[in-house]
Amino acid sequence: MHGESVGRGASSVVRRAHSALRSTLLALLLAGCGQITPGPTNPPPPTSTSVQPVATETPLPPTATPVPPAARVNGVEIPVAAYTAEVELCEIGFAQAGRDPAVCSEAALQAVIEAAVIEQAATAAGLAVDSAAVDAALAQAEQARGGADAFAQYLAAIGYTAETYREAMRRDLLRAQMTAQVAGAVAPQAEQVHALLILVGTEVQAQALLTGLRGGADFASYALENSLDASSRVGGGDLGWFARGTLTLPEVEAAAFALQPGELSDVIATSLGYAIVRVEAREPDRALSSGQLETLRAAAVQSWLKEQLAGAQIETFVTP
């Protein structure tokens, strides 16, 4: 019994201790957190610190995407508009001539590149075109188109204004000066030979004719009877006088200049058949005909332009 009383007394002491501990914890919670009441939580009082609005940058307007040029030659850009105008000019010309304009895109790109190369060379050479020359060329172009109104319609059709066409005309005249300077360097006389030609379709026939000629047969008779070259056949194979760079068959030309008067060539393979040449005469400094001079000057310009293009830095940005 005494033990049980002790046990019950200890349990009572423990219960009172637990109750006191709970009371103490509750008091601490209330002191630290304030009185808890149902309802919405009150917002914290405003502080004296003012909140400044965040500054924002004004958005910049979008920039336009630059339009790439049609091409760039030695760092100088060729605008797409210039290329497009050249295409339209080509198409108009081809349509008037009854030709297929499908090649105009490629031809126009090559044309504007070549024009830029020539113009740059002209500027480097110190060439220039004055306003009077441009005015005269424009007046002539306007007259050729049937007057001011028709000319204005033509400019609109090819995408030119009066100002842009005037500038294009100035540049055309400048390039013409450059090419004239190159062509003018060709001398009006050159070494020439006078030769006869027989042209046939097979090597077997050519060898048979050569055997006959070496045996004393008449060259003119053989040419009249056998040659396929209509322009020289009627004259007994006579090609007349010609300089280097003026014949359409370079193999025949080279063979002729390798011979002396009275000498006969071997059979020569050409793109048109098999040829035999005999040289009649030779002069070291003979005056060129107007046709020969024109041919040689055109060839000189093309050779010069080829060199200029080979040495230029060219970039293209359009696909013909």
Side-chain angles (χ1 to χ4, degrees), residues 273-293:
Y274 295 87
I276 303 169
V277 176
R278 189 177 78 190
V279 169
E280 301 293 286
R282 188 169 187 148
E283 290 187 13
D285 196 29
R286 183 182 176 89
L288 296 164
S289 68
S290 58
Q292 289 174 333
L293 187 56

Side-chain angles (χ1 to χ4, degrees), residues 44-45 48-49 54 88 105-106 108 165-166 190 199 201 229 264 273 276 297 299 304 311-312:
S48 60
T49 304
V54 179
E88 292 175 350
S105 295
E106 184 175 355
Y165 190 83
R166 180 182 180 85
L199 181 68
D229 183 44
L264 193 66
I276 303 169
R297 284 178 171 173
W304 172 85

Side-chain angles (χ1 to χ4, degrees), residues 155-303:
L155 294 186
I158 61 175
Y160 276 102
T161 65
E163 292 75 17
T164 57
Y165 190 83
R166 180 182 180 85
E167 173 59 15
M169 181 66 73
R170 183 196 68 80
R171 296 171 69 177
D172 283 346
L173 293 173
L174 181 62
R175 294 191 292 269
Q177 282 191 17
M178 185 71 251
T179 55
Q181 186 178 90
V182 174
V186 177
Q189 63 280 331
E191 181 183 14
Q192 297 187 52
V193 295
H194 178 200
L196 306 179
L197 168 70
I198 297 175
L199 181 68
V200 295
T202 67
E203 185 177 8
V204 172
Q205 184 183 10
Q207 289 290 355
L209 293 174
L210 180 60
T211 300
L213 291 171
R214 287 175 174 168
D218 182 61
F219 196 103
S221 298
Y222 268 14
L224 282 169
E225 295 169 1
N226 300 280
S227 186
L228 299 177
D229 183 44
S231 61
S232 64
R233 182 181 63 220
V234 294
D238 194 355
L239 293 172
W241 289 92
F242 56 90
R244 287 184 175 89
T246 59
L247 284 190
T248 56
L249 290 176
E251 303 89 352
V252 170
E253 182 182 288
F257 275 94
L259 300 173
Q260 295 301 318
E263 291 183 340
L264 193 66
S265 73
D266 292 327
V267 172
I268 308 160
T270 77
S271 58
L272 298 179
Y274 295 87
I276 303 169
V277 176
R278 189 177 78 190
V279 169
E280 301 293 286
R282 188 169 187 148
E283 290 187 13
D285 196 29
R286 183 182 176 89
L288 296 164
S289 68
S290 58
Q292 289 174 333
L293 187 56
E294 182 179 350
T295 297
L296 291 178
R297 284 178 171 173
V301 171
Q302 288 302 312
S303 177

Side-chain angles (χ1 to χ4, degrees), residues 1-16:
M1 292 294 293
H2 180 71
E4 292 178 1
S5 299
V6 171
R8 285 195 296 272
S11 297
S12 177
V13 171
V14 170
R15 283 194 296 272
R16 287 195 298 271

Side-chain angles (χ1 to χ4, degrees), residues 47-130:
T47 63
S48 60
T49 304
S50 60
V51 178
Q52 299 296 329
V54 179
T56 59
E57 295 183 358
T58 302
L60 297 175
T63 56
T65 302
V67 178
R72 188 181 293 122
V73 179
N74 293 325
V76 179
E77 294 185 349
I78 300 173
V80 171
Y83 163 68
T84 303
E86 188 69 27
V87 172
E88 292 175 350
L89 279 172
C90 176
E91 290 175 345
I92 290 173
F94 272 43
Q96 292 175 346
R99 299 172 59 188
D100 183 5
V103 300
C104 281
S105 295
E106 184 175 355
L109 181 59
Q110 184 65 23
V112 294
I113 289 173
E114 290 181 359
V117 168
I118 297 172
E119 184 178 350
Q120 290 173 16
T123 301
L127 302 178
V129 177
D130 58 29

